[in-house]
Amino acid sequence: KGIAMDKHRISFTGVETGWHNALPLGNGRMGAMVYYRGGKLCIALNHYDCYYHVLSQYASKDAAPAEHTAVFRDPARREKTYEEMRGIVDRARRQPGYERSHYLRTLNPQQADRPVYGGGSYPQGGEVRLALSEKADWKDTVLELCVEEGKVRFSAGQGGCRAEAEVWADPDRDGILIQLSQSAAGLWESGSIWRQEARGQGGYIYENGSAGEAITQTCLFRPDGEPACTEPFVQETALYIPGSSGDGRMPEEWQDIGGNTHRQAGKERRVCVLTASVQPGRGGAVELAEQLWECREDSGIRHREQWQGFWRSSVSLPDRYLETLWHLYVYLMECGSGAGGRHSEQACGLSGLWDIRRPCMWGSMWYWDVNIQTAFYGSFASNHMEQVKVFCDAFLSYREEAFRFAERIYGERGWALDYPHPLYNCIQPWCGLFLWQYYAYTKDTEFLREKAYPAFCEMLDFYRRITVLDESGIRHIEYDICPEQGPVTKDSTITTAAVKQLAVYALRAAGILGRPEEEREEIARLIRQMPD
């Protein structure tokens, strides 16, 4: 039923908020940012499926039709083997100033002069804009995020001249519902779909249109480097206005005195529900928006049940501001965790669903360093193991890729520590620590036996294969990189710490699972062989 708590709200009263104070909504895979400016309620849309729908074509050079060029796996840019990289580093170390050199200048010198902006973002979805008429008081406004309810509420004006809106993300379908009301005819005037015009948008082609009672905006684009002969990717944003003629104007019957009315606190108000969606491909967003409208009442019930069930944990802090921030970021993680998405293996990346406006240098991708783990750390402290499970499932889904990487780069079998970045040896064991933490919080022994422990053993086995024992019986990784730092080194602190901690957890797991004594001793011996 959810826990009883003092509700947390973020409110803007009597001010325009603008993009930088937009309020977030989301259902795990689709998100929106809501703000108010210039007499318009603005709802910017984004969806992981739109962001990642290039992946199916570019997953490998063999996945694309012959007429496409798989730029992300260009055969001409062959991956270097481990031995080739060792040779490059050995030569670089003989050059003056090497100890101050970034690892990219050593391994990929052609990238040293890359442009300042080379972003990883793809085009944002359209931005729904709902305009108030001149009858409404644009200055007497309240825009508010109700954190525990997962809703944004907006109002303009007072008494007999008051326009209101409630906005929420449907928990089951990929769309946003907007319930508009007004105490007098003509306060809400029209809806439109706006696109950002900013740096980095030059390669995108936008088309505005209509489909029945919906207005649409499609965006056509090709990733950087794609030849003009290739079929562009398409994504569609739709705003469904029931009873309209597809021109974005509010329906006339809603503006009539005898229109659809509800009684609330003894006052009559006119209510209209609009829906919006963004989807890859043509037609999908319109279809979903229409479905959402048909299921609008059920959506409100399901949404309320979902958020009531979500808040089973809370904190109370002396500082109300910090307490509200805690709840806000727990809420944000649920909005953008990646659960239920078509590309759930990406989970929540660096910017999550909030990579809506460009330029955003690194976008929403799951980058294999601190950016992955940071997103999910709070899920432990907030007691949401279902979010941690999203991380664990996504990470484990890369096992076969890491095996192929080990064979391709090292000529060895096992779970490569540094997949997908050569010499980033801390990445896999660092991510693997989450598997143990998930077990520690849930006591899910089957998960430990079937998934976590085998992954621990495969990573540790690969560590044995790529390390070299010195005369003191200590193993060393040479070469190694501390992510985003440098230069290329030996036994970086983060790799040593992550692998050693992984081995400690593996030893505990072996005891819990009753593994053979010789297996446990092998892990214990490996721990003794690791550097300080």
Side-chain angles (χ1 to χ4, degrees):
K1 297 294 184 180
I3 63 174
M5 66 172 72
D6 196 12
K7 296 293 190 295
H8 296 86
R9 302 176 187 276
I10 298 172
S11 302
F12 297 92
T13 302
V15 293
E16 294 187 347
T17 54
W19 166 252
H20 293 290
N21 287 310
L23 300 175
L25 296 169
N27 64 6
R29 57 197 176 273
M30 179 175 175
M33 298 289 276
V34 186
Y35 67 98
Y36 170 72
R37 173 171 286 174
K40 294 182 176 70
L41 183 64
C42 306
I43 308 167
L45 304 178
N46 195 18
H47 197 306
Y48 282 138
D49 286 357
C50 288
Y51 187 88
Y52 289 120
H53 67 144
V54 299
L55 290 182
S56 58
Q57 179 170 318
Y58 294 100
S60 73
K61 65 179 183 293
D62 300 320
E67 65 271 16
H68 289 84
T69 302
V71 294
F72 301 144
R73 290 282 178 88
D74 185 350
R77 298 177 61 186
R78 183 181 63 81
E79 292 172 296
K80 302 178 183 70
T81 66
Y82 183 54
E83 288 306 314
E84 287 172 333
M85 286 185 284
R86 287 175 62 90
I88 292 171
V89 175
D90 288 340
R91 289 190 293 274
R93 282 184 163 182
R94 295 194 287 268
Q95 302 301 315
Y98 169 80
E99 66 278 2
R100 296 185 298 276
S101 175
H102 194 275
Y103 63 88
L104 279 179
R105 291 190 177 89
T106 301
L107 297 176
N108 300 287
Q110 71 275 14
Q111 296 186 16
D113 297 321
R114 66 181 183 179
V116 174
Y117 177 72
S121 296
Y122 289 118
Q124 78 287 346
E127 184 169 298
V128 170
R129 293 191 162 187
L130 304 175
L132 294 164
S133 74
E134 294 182 353
K135 299 177 183 179
D137 186 346
W138 294 0
K139 296 181 180 179
D140 187 6
T141 61
V142 177
L143 182 70
E144 181 175 72
L145 170 65
C146 307
V147 175
E148 282 80 5
E149 296 177 52
K151 277 189 177 182
V152 170
R153 291 190 171 90
F154 172 78
S155 66
Q158 296 288 338
C161 192
R162 181 179 176 86
E164 296 177 309
E166 284 191 2
V167 191
W168 69 93
D170 186 272
D172 305 312
R173 303 171 187 86
D174 293 336
I176 302 295
L177 290 94
I178 311 144
Q179 180 172 291
L180 301 179
S181 62
Q182 53 188 17
S183 58
L187 298 183
W188 287 109
E189 188 172 60
S190 63
S192 61
I193 302 176
W194 179 82
R195 72 175 179 91
Q196 181 190 2
E197 297 176 1
R199 183 174 61 171
Q201 294 292 296
Y204 305 128
I205 300 171
Y206 290 90
E207 300 172 352
N208 292 313
S210 62
E213 296 170 301
I215 58 174
T216 63
Q217 183 181 97
T218 55
C219 175
L220 295 81
F221 71 99
R222 297 178 181 87
D224 293 343
E226 273 290 276
C229 62
T230 59
E231 190 72 19
F233 292 102
V234 179
Q235 65 186 43
E236 176 183 79
T237 305
L239 172 63
Y240 180 73
I241 305 176
S244 74
S245 58
D247 60 358
R249 306 291 298 180
M250 294 301 172
E252 291 184 6
E253 59 267 27
W254 189 46
Q255 307 290 16
D256 292 341
I257 297 298
N260 183 22
T261 61
H262 285 235
R263 287 209 162 262
Q264 184 181 45
K267 296 181 180 179
E268 191 176 80
R269 66 188 182 119
R270 295 160 183 81
V271 178
C272 180
V273 177
L274 281 56
T275 57
S277 184
V278 58
Q279 288 286 300
R282 293 183 185 272
V286 173
E287 182 179 350
L288 270 171
E290 292 174 348
Q291 290 176 5
L292 281 167
W293 191 82
E294 293 292 337
C295 303
R296 59 196 180 280
E297 292 184 6
D298 177 64
S299 173
I301 295 169
R302 283 279 299 114
H303 178 269
R304 183 169 59 252
E305 291 174 346
Q306 182 224 344
W307 284 106
Q308 286 177 344
F310 176 77
W311 291 105
R312 55 184 177 270
S313 299
S314 183
V315 298
S316 178
L317 300 173
D319 187 323
R320 178 70 176 182
Y321 176 76
L322 291 179
E323 182 181 309
T324 300
L325 280 183
W326 186 92
H327 288 84
L328 171 65
Y329 280 90
V330 173
Y331 162 82
L332 277 174
M333 190 65 234
E334 180 67 6
C335 287
S337 69
R342 190 179 306 170
H343 297 286
S344 58
E345 77 283 355
Q346 295 291 332
C348 178
L350 177 60
S351 299
L353 281 171
W354 321 122
D355 172 30
I356 292 178
R357 285 210 178 180
R358 293 190 72 165
C360 183
M361 181 84 174
W362 298 116
S364 294
M365 287 185 183
W366 184 331
Y367 282 96
W368 292 87
D369 52 24
V370 67
N371 308 326
I372 306 175
Q373 299 91 330
T374 296
F376 286 87
Y377 279 144
S379 299
F380 292 104
S382 60
N383 194 29
H384 285 288
M385 291 305 103
E386 74 280 5
Q387 294 175 355
V388 181
K389 187 63 161 48
V390 170
F391 177 96
C392 292
D393 289 345
F395 172 62
L396 288 167
S397 72
Y398 287 95
R399 176 180 179 271
E400 293 303 321
E401 283 284 348
F403 269 57
R404 287 190 286 269
F405 182 89
E407 177 65 31
R408 198 166 62 243
I409 302 300
Y410 293 88
E412 295 283 1
R413 69 175 185 269
W415 187 310
L417 300 180
D418 55 352
Y419 168 81
H421 296 302
L423 309 186
Y424 270 33
N425 292 290
C426 70
I427 295 300
Q428 305 305 312
W430 189 5
C431 292
L433 300 181
F434 271 69
L435 305 180
W436 171 264
Q437 295 293 352
Y438 178 78
Y439 163 76
Y441 275 73
T442 64
K443 301 303 180 185
D444 185 343
T445 307
E446 182 180 358
F447 174 84
L448 184 65
R449 178 185 299 107
E450 301 298 326
K451 296 185 176 181
Y453 184 69
F456 297 163
C457 292
E458 288 164 351
M459 290 183 216
L460 294 177
D461 183 56
F462 185 76
Y463 177 78
R464 290 187 189 93
R465 292 173 181 278
I466 66 169
T467 50
V468 177
L469 281 168
D470 67 14
E471 63 278 4
S472 302
I474 300 299
R475 293 184 176 274
H476 300 284
I477 294 183
E478 189 171 4
Y479 295 110
D480 187 22
I481 295 173
C482 176
E484 308 217 12
Q485 306 302 318
V488 182
T489 186
K490 176 174 77 172
D491 299 331
S492 71
T493 301
I494 189 170
T495 295
T496 302
V499 176
K500 186 175 289 188
Q501 189 64 52
L502 189 79
V504 169
Y505 288 158
L507 189 58
R508 291 182 193 172
I512 293 167
L513 299 173
R515 301 299 301 173
E517 182 62 34
E518 58 270 22
E519 190 171 303
R520 282 182 267 176
E521 174 53 32
E522 188 177 10
I523 299 172
R525 185 184 310 112
L526 185 65
I527 294 173
R528 294 192 296 270
Q529 293 173 337
M530 290 182 185
D532 291 336

